[in-house]
């Protein structure tokens, strides 16, 4: 019998393939109030009918207000663009992330800091960049370029101090 775990313990155990008291789930506070939007996007563009291009070069389209829409242009749909593709590291350099570790240590909850509006998880970002069908084919065939892209994203999402 596993003791009742905090969300941080539960996620850590799951990532280590250890026994958990329950299946960890992701619950996000999706409200955007109080968010400091980055220079490439204003609050008026997020979740509004129309289109916008995010800082990764993905073009989003929404048919109604209140939804994020979907990516219709995938900058890496063609693998020939991978060698010249660069994650938006210049954006990271402008952020003050100095309080992130202190905040994460102050709670027993599992915390996933986000520095982009509606920042997706790794799998979603891969879909945005490659397109869903391409991504599934890359993974099914073990295309080495998908692993190169994953390494690029990990460098972005887990920056060295």
């Amino acid at each position: 019998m596993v003791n009742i775990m905090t969300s941080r313990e539960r996620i850590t155990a799951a990532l280590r393939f250890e026994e958990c008291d329950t299946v960890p789930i992701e619950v996000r506070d999706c409200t955007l109030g109080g968010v400091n939007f980055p220079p490439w996007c204003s609050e008026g563009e997020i979740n509004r009918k129309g289109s916008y291009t995010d800082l990764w070069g993905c073009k989003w389209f929404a048919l109604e207000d209140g939804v994020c829409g979907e990516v219709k242009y995938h900058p890496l749909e063609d693998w020939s663009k991978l060698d010249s593709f660069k994650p938006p590291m210049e954006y990271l350099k402008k952020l003050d992330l100095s309080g992130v570790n202190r905040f994460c240590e102050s709670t027993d909850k599992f915390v996933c800091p986000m520095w982009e509006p509606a920042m997706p998880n790794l799998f979603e970002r891969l879909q945005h960049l490659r397109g869903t069908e391409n991504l599934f084919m890359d993974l099914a065939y073990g295309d080495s370029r998908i692993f190169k892209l994953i390494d690029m994203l990990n460098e972005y999402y887990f920056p060295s101090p």
Side-chain angles (χ1 to χ4, degrees):
M1 176 97 179
V2 176
N3 292 330
I4 295 176
M5 306 170 97
T6 65
S7 65
R8 182 187 301 239
E9 292 167 336
R10 190 174 297 120
I11 296 288
T12 302
L15 291 172
R16 293 181 178 152
F17 298 99
E18 297 170 353
E19 189 175 356
C20 299
D21 62 339
T22 188
V23 175
I25 59 171
E26 181 180 14
V27 178
R28 292 187 187 183
D29 176 2
C30 295
T31 59
L32 295 177
V35 171
N36 293 321
F37 287 86
W40 58 266
C41 180
S42 69
E43 185 173 2
E45 292 175 315
I46 296 289
N47 295 337
R48 299 284 190 261
K49 182 178 180 179
S51 67
Y52 71 94
T53 302
D54 69 17
L55 100 131
W56 293 82
C58 302
K59 190 158 188 178
W60 291 78
F61 291 89
L63 297 177
E64 61 184 273
D65 286 345
V67 296
C68 65
E70 61 182 300
V71 178
K72 291 293 191 176
Y73 170 76
H74 310 278
L76 293 177
E77 188 167 352
D78 179 351
W79 271 133
S80 67
K81 298 175 182 175
L82 180 64
D83 288 336
S84 62
F85 180 77
K86 302 282 185 240
M89 298 304 256
E90 68 283 350
Y91 176 70
L92 280 183
K93 293 175 186 172
K94 298 175 186 175
L95 298 177
D96 178 9
L97 301 175
S98 61
V100 171
N101 287 341
R102 195 169 42 256
F103 174 77
C104 292
E105 290 166 358
S106 73
T107 179
D108 64 350
K109 296 188 182 320
F110 180 80
V111 179
C112 184
M114 298 173 73
W115 48 80
E116 296 174 32
M119 190 163 101
N121 60 44
L122 175 67
F123 186 77
E124 289 170 326
R125 177 60 68 203
L126 290 168
Q127 286 184 91
H128 298 168
L129 293 170
R130 283 285 293 147
T132 303
E133 185 176 339
N134 285 336
L135 175 59
F136 285 141
M137 296 301 286
D138 298 336
L139 294 171
Y141 287 113
D143 191 313
S144 62
R145 295 170 291 195
I146 196 66
F147 301 108
K148 181 178 177 180
L149 180 56
I150 289 170
D151 288 343
M152 285 178 161
L153 295 179
N154 278 329
E155 286 177 34
Y156 178 83
Y157 286 119
F158 302 102
S160 300

